[in-house]
Amino acid sequence: VVAAAAGRTNRPPRALTLVIIFARDNTRIVSGCRTAQAPRSMTPDSPASPSAARFQALWSRCGGAGDVGSVHAALHARYAEPHRRYHTWAHVAHCLAEFDAAPVPAADAGAVELALWFHDVIYRTGASDNEQRSADLFSAYARPSLPAALVDEVVRLILITAHHAPPDAGSAAWV
């Protein structure tokens, strides 16, 4: 779970990462938080940004074919929408940095990483269906190219980010 606090000042927002780890019986076993300065803006080619090359390599590793540069550009455009304050390209970069540092099992890594790229791609303030719409958009991009079982798993992981209940075991614990 990642949350951000930003005041109405000229200072850049600070990102607050809240980590809660649940045991298989859904009891909380570890929690903690840390803050980090969030970048003001990020372009697709900034060193810290989620790069097109990384996205292309992920798509290929997951069985997709062809150039997905247009998908990456569409993701960047959505995360750069002017109404967003937290669910931005910097948020995706932060999620991917956390993913890179986490001991995600190799069998789950592709699905988890794809879910991180897409989990907040649709964000309408106050809407209750952002996760469903994000999952639908992922599915529309992925169904023609990626294996159906992988697409289904990524959709499931994106929907879990609605946080209606603690994540179950397995790959859901990583999103």
Side-chain angles (χ1 to χ4, degrees):
V1 178
V2 182
R8 288 181 166 45
T9 67
N10 289 333
R11 290 178 294 152
R14 296 186 61 80
L16 172 68
T17 303
L18 173 63
V19 178
I20 302 172
I21 301 173
F22 291 91
R24 290 187 193 276
D25 65 357
N26 288 332
T27 57
R28 185 168 61 183
I29 56 173
V30 176
S31 64
C33 64
R34 66 176 184 224
T35 59
Q37 192 70 27
R40 276 191 189 272
S41 64
M42 195 171 286
T43 62
D45 55 353
S46 332
S49 83
S51 72
R54 178 180 179 145
F55 187 75
Q56 179 71 54
L58 169 64
W59 198 265
S60 296
R61 272 194 320 276
C62 290
D67 180 12
V68 291
S70 62
V71 176
H72 181 268
L75 286 169
H76 182 265
R78 289 200 181 254
Y79 282 109
E81 292 168 336
H83 68 280
R84 292 173 181 254
R85 297 293 174 263
Y86 171 68
H87 297 102
T88 64
W89 203 237
H91 172 65
V92 175
H94 176 80
C95 289
L96 293 174
E98 292 291 322
F99 170 81
D100 290 343
V104 178
D108 298 335
V112 170
E113 187 174 353
L114 281 167
L116 292 175
W117 281 89
F118 281 88
H119 78 281
D120 287 324
V121 70
I122 302 292
Y123 181 72
R124 294 181 308 157
T125 306
S128 62
D129 65 345
N130 289 324
E131 291 81 8
Q132 181 63 59
R133 291 168 44 104
S134 293
D136 292 345
L137 184 64
F138 167 75
S139 185
Y141 283 129
R143 288 249 181 246
S145 181
L146 297 177
L150 175 67
V151 174
D152 293 343
E153 176 64 0
V154 173
V155 165
R156 185 182 78 81
L157 294 174
I158 293 169
L159 294 175
I160 284 171
T161 67
H163 307 296
H164 296 300
D168 60 6
S171 56
W174 300 106
V175 294

